[in-house]
Amino acid sequence: MIQPLDRRIIRTKQLLREALMNLIEEKGIEGITVRDLTEQAGLNRGTFYLHYRDIADLLEQSKTEMLHGLLKIHDKLNPKTGIDDNFEKKKEAMALAMFEYFADNHRFFELMLGPKGDPSYIDQMKKFLKKIHYENHLRIQPNDANLLVPRDYLIAHAISSTLGIIQHWFESGMNLTPKEMVTLVKRLAELNPLQLSGLEKSSVEK
């Protein structure tokens, strides 16, 4: 059970994170001061220093906490079976939970992965996506000798595609629901460009 003190701490950190997002959106990461932040959040400097050393510490902790949320989803829903109906269902459930998480925290991820964000966070996201794609692909095809292209190139392609889709989703104002995004990603993974363009028939139901 969350105690009143814990609730106050959580609320204080939320206010500071929201203020940080407002300032990043307004002026970018560089140049934000503790004074700017606390005035934006309606808190005093002493309260800030109870939880963070400086702006960089607040940003780093926020990035870590947001990424940790994705890792929790991965660890809970990551399919550990081989290629069967259960594997595909679990993979889709994990993808849906992640898109819902992105939607719930869209302002943070949109800013961090956008032009005013932190370039290092894109690298962290790539490492996280590499973990997911590598584990899933290794279950699909554990034998490197059967691959038509080197595994690292397959994984690099998957990472680039996934990250690009997420960024475009944010840039488009999240005009598709998380469930629609799962369907979109599945089609992109399973169909070739001609099928996706409607120039070649596929067995995937619309």
Side-chain angles (χ1 to χ4, degrees):
M1 182 176 178
I2 300 178
Q3 299 298 319
L5 179 60
D6 296 328
R7 289 196 186 95
R8 287 198 293 273
I9 292 173
I10 291 171
R11 179 57 180 160
T12 296
K13 289 188 172 184
Q14 286 175 338
L15 288 171
L16 290 169
R17 183 177 294 166
E18 288 168 8
L20 179 64
M21 294 301 102
N22 289 337
L23 290 168
I24 290 175
E25 194 168 30
E26 178 185 325
K27 60 174 68 176
I29 292 173
E30 299 297 329
I32 297 175
T33 66
V34 173
R35 181 177 179 178
D36 293 335
L37 189 76
T38 51
E39 286 182 355
Q40 178 83 284
L43 300 169
N44 60 57
R45 290 165 61 90
T47 300
F48 174 86
Y49 286 115
L50 283 175
H51 305 288
Y52 306 105
R53 294 189 305 274
D54 49 30
I55 298 295
D57 185 37
L58 166 59
L59 179 60
E60 198 59 38
Q61 286 195 41
S62 297
K63 287 158 52 180
T64 299
E65 288 170 14
M66 288 292 103
L67 198 57
H68 182 66
L70 288 171
L71 286 168
K72 283 176 66 176
I73 293 170
H74 172 268
D75 292 343
K76 180 179 179 180
L77 298 176
N78 180 35
K80 297 178 174 62
T81 58
I83 299 304
D84 54 24
D85 290 341
N86 193 46
F87 174 84
E88 291 299 326
K89 288 177 182 177
K90 284 190 174 182
K91 191 170 71 171
E92 288 185 27
M94 183 172 72
L96 178 59
M98 287 188 176
F99 274 112
E100 288 174 340
Y101 183 79
F102 280 127
D104 290 341
N105 300 281
H106 68 92
R107 190 153 183 253
F108 175 86
F109 285 107
E110 184 176 357
L111 282 170
M112 286 297 101
L113 299 176
K116 291 185 178 180
D118 184 351
S120 70
Y121 203 58
I122 293 179
D123 292 333
Q124 289 177 281
M125 281 295 298
K126 285 181 177 179
K127 288 179 181 178
F128 169 71
L129 292 171
K130 182 178 181 179
K131 174 182 174 65
I132 294 176
H133 285 298
Y134 184 81
E135 289 179 358
N136 284 338
H137 194 267
L138 202 59
R139 294 188 184 100
I140 294 169
Q141 177 51 273
N143 190 349
D144 284 2
N146 293 331
L147 297 173
L148 298 180
V149 297
R151 193 183 301 275
D152 58 331
Y153 281 86
L154 276 172
I155 301 304
H157 172 73
I159 292 169
S160 178
S161 175
T162 303
L163 187 57
I165 288 167
I166 292 169
Q167 289 174 310
H168 183 72
W169 187 42
F170 290 141
E171 291 166 2
S172 302
M174 296 193 301
N175 56 349
L176 297 177
T177 67
K179 189 173 181 179
E180 289 172 330
M181 288 300 296
V182 173
T183 300
L184 181 148
V185 169
K186 183 178 180 182
R187 287 178 179 174
L188 288 171
E190 295 180 352
L191 304 180
N192 65 48
L194 289 177
Q195 291 170 328
L196 291 168
S197 300
L199 300 175
E200 184 179 305
K201 291 183 179 180
S202 75
S203 60
V204 177
E205 295 182 2
K206 293 185 177 181

